Amino acid sequence: MTEFVLQVNGASMRVEAPAEESLLSVLRYRLNLTGTKYGCGEGECGACTVLLNGKAYRSCRVSVAAAANAGITTIEGLERHGVLTPVQQAFVDEGAMQCGYCTSGMIVEATALLEENPQPTEEQIVARMNGNVCRCGTYPRIVAAVRRAAEGGRA
Amino acid sequence: MSAVTEWMDRREFLKGLGAGLLVCLTHGGVMAQESGRTFGGHALPKEVSAWIHIGADGKVTVYTGKVEVGQNIRTSLAQQVAEELRVPFGRIAMVMGDTDLVPWDMGTFGSRTTPTMGPELRMMAAAAREELLRKAAAQWKVSVTALKVEDGRIVDAKSSHSASYGELTRGEKLVSVVEGQEALTPATEWKVAGTPVPKTEIRAFVTGEHKFPSDVVRPGMLFGAVVRPEGFNAKLISVDTSAAEKMPGVQIVREGDFIGVVAPAMYTARQAVEAIHAKWDVPAQPSNDGLFDYLKSHPDGESQPEHQAGSVEQAMAAADVKVEDKYTVQYIAHAPLEPRAAVAEWNAGKVTVWTGTQRPFGVRDQLMEAFSLPVEKVRVVQPDMGSGYGGKHTGEAALEAARLSKAAGKPVKVVWTREEEFTWAYLRPAGLMELRAAARRDGTLVAWEHHNYNSGPAAISMPYVVANQLIQYHPAQSPLRQGSYRSLAATANNFARESHMDAVAHAVGMDPVAFRLKNLADLRLIAVVKAATERFGWEKARSTATRGYGFACGNDKGGYVAACAEVEIDGDKRVRIRRIVQAWESGAIINPDGLRNQVGGAIVQGIGGAMFEAILFGNGRILNPHFADYRLPRFRDVPEVDVVLVDRKDLPSAGAGESGLICVAPAVGNALFAATGQRLRNMPMTPDRTVPGVAVSGLTS
Ligand code: FES
Ligand code: FES
């Protein structure tokens, strides 16, 4: 067990964990930040996506030790003072979910995408989001939500 | 009455509600026919009671045993109650799937919520409204007919009396028992129902705030994991737990062949399981190769024809055109993105389990049986979950968590890994379909024979008019654990039938849509056939070697569906589905936005089973229990999807979560035939890896 100080959503959080434990496991089961989801634990579904210094990572494939020096943003850290981000708002406006279990990962992935490429084409959205699974099959609405967010909510 | 009284006593639940109007329905309800069934050897309570409570503050609480799994019934049921009560949608709160708080319910499956729970709740809401009207009329000494109700207020225009529901119920507890049928508001007059109300509580899903079953945290909670056998039907030979026992805080729980661990961290629990060395005896078992012969030669009891008319034999002998073929579907996994999960907590001999299940009361029964507990000592709570698609009828994780928690004396959380979910849950049945058909040169169907081995009887009956028929489902001894699945056997049966219809159409030289219309009499099906083909532009669709157009239709569980597909095949024989236009009709639409979402989702899920999903197995093991080896539909696989909704306000609403799947595979397969001349009779049609025992199609996707 090692003690780590993680920077999560702007707050310092102290946690003891084996260095090789995944960031996902630490977030969900040690820090009770359950907005980040487990879907496969193998980097194949994107449910666990978080931002490390603004870039999207599969938190099931990142060790807590590797994340210790980064600024971590989870789904819980996107909203500011009760105001949803444009991506979150676009998911609401498009009704871009069914069960909503993939939604955290989708929103975080899309947030990173728009940070890097504020005006993606539909093909770019599809290519970038392809690693995120929505078993409910809400893909067309998710694409529409990302476009809407890119267009400043006026899609 | 007595059943209801007992139920109320048992729950002691009225106490907490305070003043207000409580509505309970004792009999004559639309769900009555579903009560009294037995599951797992338990006689279930016969009473069918549903509840609505209107608080003094005007807030309405609705209690239902149905659960929200993404099909949007938390919203659509609330819309229906709001409609009948004449209150704004936002005033309704739904309590769902908590066995201590809601009336018994069989479970959420089979597209039953909309046709049964919807009318049930509407009737109770209408009864509550009528009761309040009577109360107001008595208070103001006017006739009920003089009163108007709007926005949760009763108004007498003449005397200018007015009172909110809350004001009418204040300080007094009313219990209204509905004995008969109240008149329901016709769909043509709906103001809240029938509109695209957004998913309720949607904000909590975009902020990560919503607590799914796997997110539940209890004070002092520990983490559990289970040692899995090396294969199905394995017997434990020996086990060495010594290394795991030395890990700090780890407790080993053993009962027969069950070996579980409890640890202070999830990570430690998983490590402890890894450290346990168990030897298993796994018997030899079937694999994909030879599966269909196996299913045919291993019947599970005697079976009778579902439908028989005339003589297929004679009609076949005399017919101009005959087509005979076999179709197969593989086992596939539900793969809900949230795997099975549960948190169990024991308190003074009572166990409470938060878990993801489509049958909270079924899981309650399983827990009662496993721990020999009376009903009041088990509570199952079902938070809105990361879906199920028919895959979460059972309570495996709940039982494991309860067992481990009992041993540990602390709350315990169990979350299945993806591999566990693929391996130890149950699967959509594989199936073999053998079809024979005959038609006259003019395209009149004269004979149809359809046998389904193992996959099930759903949608097996012929929607077309045929004089001579033999339709039979043959249950088989499945080598793998199988169970419910979104639209279950309707997918397999419709795939076989609609592919075969296409083959017969080509054999008689008719356009596949014209051929179907010639043999259809069902007006609802005809209407969706027309809606889909018109929107698609079927008239002008001419297939080429690289672009194919296909059609399929069908009906099941009150849903009528027709789909046109456009596929593209490139030089490497790679298939892309370019467009699917699907028309859908399931009676009066309660929420067009939610319905569109469901039907669209069903199409995407249907693409998986049609094109590439297959469980590979052998000798009691699943060989591809990972997303890397079991291909799911992803963003790139999704074509342009156009859902045409047909709203029949004159017809009762049917469920819409399932049957949207059933035309995808045959429409795509028929499109591929139109382009390539190759008939694809096995689902999945374009798998990434060869499925042993299935001829290679040569096409990929
Ligand atoms: S849980 Fe990390 S990618 Fe699936
Ligand atoms: S909404 Fe259910 S997995 Fe995406």
Side-chain angles (χ1 to χ4, degrees):
Chain A
M1 292 286 253
T2 315
E3 189 179 271
F4 295 96
V5 181
L6 301 180
Q7 302 302 322
V8 188
N9 301 329
S12 292
M13 296 187 180
R14 208 168 283 275
V15 67
E16 274 205 10
E20 70 278 10
E21 184 170 338
S22 73
L23 176 60
L24 175 65
S25 177
V26 168
L27 290 170
R28 287 186 57 79
Y29 303 129
R30 295 189 193 272
L31 297 173
N32 289 342
L33 284 166
T34 55
T36 307
K37 304 302 182 200
Y38 168 88
C40 67
E42 294 157 357
E44 294 287 337
C45 77
C48 64
T49 307
V50 299
L51 301 180
L52 299 181
N53 297 331
K55 291 220 175 305
Y57 285 86
R58 305 295 189 233
S59 65
C60 69
R61 306 294 285 170
V62 176
S63 71
V64 61
N69 298 316
I72 304 164
T73 308
T74 69
I75 185 78
E76 291 96 338
L78 293 180
E79 184 187 356
R80 285 282 144 79
H81 313 294
V83 181
L84 299 179
T85 65
V87 177
Q88 287 174 311
Q89 189 58 51
F91 271 67
V92 170
D93 294 342
E94 291 290 335
M97 74 192 65
Q98 289 177 41
C99 77
Y101 193 78
C102 67
T103 307
S104 298
M106 292 287 179
I107 287 176
V108 174
E109 186 72 47
T111 301
L113 160 63
L114 295 183
E115 193 61 45
E116 289 158 35
N117 178 2
Q119 294 298 325
T121 62
E122 181 152 340
E123 288 68 35
Q124 287 169 330
I125 296 171
V126 165
R128 172 62 184 257
M129 302 291 289
N130 203 52
N132 285 63
V133 168
C134 175
R135 185 51 161 164
C136 296
T138 326
Y139 297 120
R141 287 188 180 205
I142 295 170
V143 172
V146 179
R147 296 187 67 136
R148 178 191 277 263
E151 285 155 28
R154 291 182 309 273
Chain B
M1 258 317 278
S2 69
V4 174
T5 321
E6 261 172 48
W7 194 76
M8 282 160 40
D9 291 347
R10 204 166 73 225
R11 304 291 144 156
E12 286 221 340
F13 158 65
L14 287 165
K15 278 188 194 160
L17 285 175
L21 176 73
L22 192 71
V23 187
C24 45
L25 186 85
T26 55
H27 63 82
V30 268
M31 291 172 71
Q33 73 275 13
E34 287 192 287
S35 68
R37 288 222 203 161
T38 58
F39 277 102
H42 286 277
L44 294 168
K46 289 233 178 355
E47 77 265 26
V48 181
S49 321
W51 303 71
I52 292 176
H53 180 262
I54 304 171
D57 56 0
K59 288 223 171 72
V60 179
T61 313
V62 180
Y63 301 85
T64 171
K66 296 296 177 201
V67 300
E68 171 63 50
V69 298
Q71 79 287 45
N72 209 35
I73 59 167
R74 184 178 286 281
T75 307
S76 64
L77 289 175
Q79 277 180 273
Q80 295 175 75
V81 173
E83 181 67 54
E84 295 296 348
L85 270 180
R86 318 271 189 261
V87 302
F89 173 79
R91 219 172 285 166
I92 312 268
M94 302 289 297
V95 174
M96 304 176 78
D98 181 331
T99 61
D100 264 14
L101 300 184
V102 304
W104 179 83
D105 187 85
M106 189 163 63
T108 306
F109 53 85
S111 290
R112 302 305 297 153
T113 300
T114 299
T116 59
M117 184 55 76
E120 185 93 353
L121 291 176
R122 282 173 66 194
M123 199 184 313
M124 284 185 294
R129 184 192 69 220
E130 293 306 311
E131 177 68 15
L132 287 159
L133 277 166
R134 279 191 287 273
K135 195 170 156 56
Q139 245 174 45
W140 302 333
K141 301 196 170 50
V142 295
S143 137
V144 169
T145 50
L147 300 178
K148 271 214 159 61
V149 49
E150 230 168 55
D151 217 10
R153 284 192 88 74
I154 296 177
V155 183
D156 175 21
K158 259 210 193 115
S159 68
S160 75
H161 276 306
S162 141
S164 69
Y165 287 166
E167 283 158 4
L168 278 165
T169 59
R170 182 167 300 151
E172 203 183 328
K173 187 168 290 176
L174 301 173
V175 177
S176 170
V177 178
V178 181
E179 297 282 0
Q181 304 261 340
E182 297 288 342
L184 301 182
T185 309
T188 45
E189 288 166 30
W190 283 351
K191 293 189 180 70
V192 185
T195 67
V197 172
K199 182 181 174 77
T200 174
E201 293 161 33
I202 190 167
R203 203 174 194 283
F205 290 89
V206 301
T207 58
E209 222 175 292
H210 173 73
K211 298 285 179 242
F212 289 88
S214 56
D215 299 334
V216 170
V217 174
R218 299 293 300 167
M221 186 175 81
L222 301 174
F223 298 86
V226 174
V227 177
R228 301 292 170 190
E230 246 164 52
F232 305 127
N233 307 304
K235 285 266 166 299
L236 184 63
I237 302 169
S238 67
V239 59
D240 175 6
T241 56
S242 55
E245 274 161 45
K246 292 194 192 92
M247 299 170 79
V250 169
Q251 183 186 346
I252 313 289
V253 181
R254 275 206 62 183
E255 284 168 44
D257 281 6
F258 175 88
I259 313 161
V261 304
V262 180
M266 185 66 94
Y267 185 79
T268 320
R270 288 279 161 209
Q271 275 198 318
V273 162
E274 292 291 310
I276 292 174
H277 301 290
K279 286 206 171 61
W280 303 89
D281 184 13
V282 188
Q285 292 168 64
S287 69
N288 296 84
D289 199 6
L291 170 66
F292 301 108
D293 290 337
Y294 182 93
L295 293 175
K296 210 176 161 181
S297 59
H298 288 75
D300 188 13
E302 288 288 299
S303 69
Q304 294 300 318
E306 302 281 321
H307 185 66
Q308 203 166 7
S311 165
V312 171
E313 245 11 279
Q314 281 172 18
M316 291 289 295
D320 302 332
V321 176
K322 295 163 224 188
V323 183
E324 184 167 349
D325 248 311
K326 291 183 181 162
Y327 301 83
T328 68
V329 300
Q330 294 289 323
Y331 290 103
I332 62 173
H334 308 80
L337 203 55
E338 180 182 41
R340 281 165 165 69
V343 174
E345 176 172 320
W346 292 79
N347 257 316
K350 175 170 180 168
V351 64
T352 301
V353 183
W354 292 261
T355 191
T357 175
Q358 292 171 251
R359 296 199 307 122
F361 287 89
V363 173
R364 185 187 68 177
D365 288 350
Q366 284 186 293
L367 289 162
M368 282 164 58
E369 186 172 276
F371 299 100
S372 305
L373 293 170
V375 67
E376 65 275 13
K377 293 290 187 194
V378 182
R379 177 182 187 183
V380 174
V381 187
Q382 146 59 58
D384 295 4
M385 69 180 174
S387 210
Y389 321 109
K392 288 181 180 166
H393 284 205
T394 46
E396 296 87 353
L399 289 165
E400 289 163 4
R403 203 184 254 200
L404 295 172
S405 166
K406 194 173 182 196
K410 292 263 182 64
V412 169
K413 174 185 272 198
V414 169
V415 181
W416 279 22
T417 63
R418 179 53 53 191
E419 183 169 335
E420 287 177 302
E421 182 67 34
F422 265 114
T423 309
W424 298 102
Y426 55 87
L427 302 165
R428 195 280 309 268
L432 165 68
M433 279 72 62
E434 294 182 339
L435 275 73
R436 287 206 294 170
R440 283 203 283 269
R441 282 262 163 257
D442 72 349
T444 308
L445 276 175
V446 291
W448 197 270
E449 188 168 341
H450 182 145
H451 298 271
N452 174 310
Y453 295 90
N454 188 59
S455 103
I460 198 171
S461 37
M462 201 53 186
Y464 304 96
V465 180
V466 196
N468 303 287
Q469 293 189 35
L470 173 58
I471 311 285
Q472 190 161 358
Y473 157 53
H474 308 261
Q477 296 166 41
S478 169
L480 297 182
R481 189 177 175 214
Q482 62 183 23
S484 182
Y485 199 100
R486 191 175 194 182
S487 72
L488 201 58
T491 299
N493 287 324
N494 220 55
F495 171 62
R497 177 176 44 248
E498 287 301 295
S499 301
H500 210 66
M501 281 295 287
D502 203 66
V504 180
H506 284 279
V508 296
M510 270 183 87
D511 170 78
V513 173
F515 173 63
R516 284 176 175 80
L517 288 172
K518 184 174 177 64
N519 290 286
L520 271 178
D522 185 330
L523 295 176
R524 292 177 74 177
L525 200 47
I526 291 169
V528 288
V529 170
K530 291 193 167 152
T533 49
E534 269 163 32
R535 174 72 64 91
F536 187 77
W538 180 264
E539 289 283 300
K540 294 201 201 80
R542 297 281 172 272
S543 299
T544 65
T546 54
R547 197 165 286 265
Y549 302 96
F551 174 83
C553 61
N555 63 315
D556 190 33
K557 302 189 179 87
Y560 291 77
V561 56
C564 300
E566 175 180 340
V567 299
E568 196 182 292
I569 304 120
D570 70 14
D572 301 328
K573 295 199 135 199
R574 216 179 113 90
V575 175
R576 298 295 306 262
I577 306 172
R578 285 298 177 198
R579 187 156 82 106
I580 291 181
V581 173
Q582 180 156 300
W584 173 267
E585 189 259 294
S586 51
I589 298 173
I590 294 161
N591 186 321
D593 184 63
L595 180 58
R596 217 169 258 292
N597 211 359
Q598 276 300 292
V599 176
I603 291 170
V604 173
Q605 197 157 29
I607 288 172
M611 306 306 274
F612 33 73
E613 284 185 46
I615 284 289
L616 303 178
F617 67 100
N619 273 328
R621 286 185 207 173
I622 302 298
L623 305 173
N624 57 341
H626 303 277
F627 285 162
D629 306 319
Y630 183 95
R631 181 168 162 194
L632 299 170
R634 290 175 182 266
F635 280 92
R636 275 210 194 100
D637 300 309
V638 177
E640 182 189 332
V641 173
D642 189 355
V643 175
V644 185
L645 298 180
V646 178
D647 191 5
R648 287 292 302 270
K649 291 193 191 299
D650 56 324
L651 292 171
S653 310
E658 302 196 68
S659 308
L661 259 97
I662 67 174
C663 288
V664 177
V668 170
N670 295 342
L672 287 169
F673 177 84
T676 66
Q678 186 180 355
R679 175 70 59 196
L680 299 166
R681 299 188 189 87
N682 306 299
M683 281 174 69
M685 296 185 282
T686 58
D688 287 8
R689 289 162 68 180
T690 308
V691 182
V694 178
V696 179
S697 73
L699 297 170
T700 60
S701 60

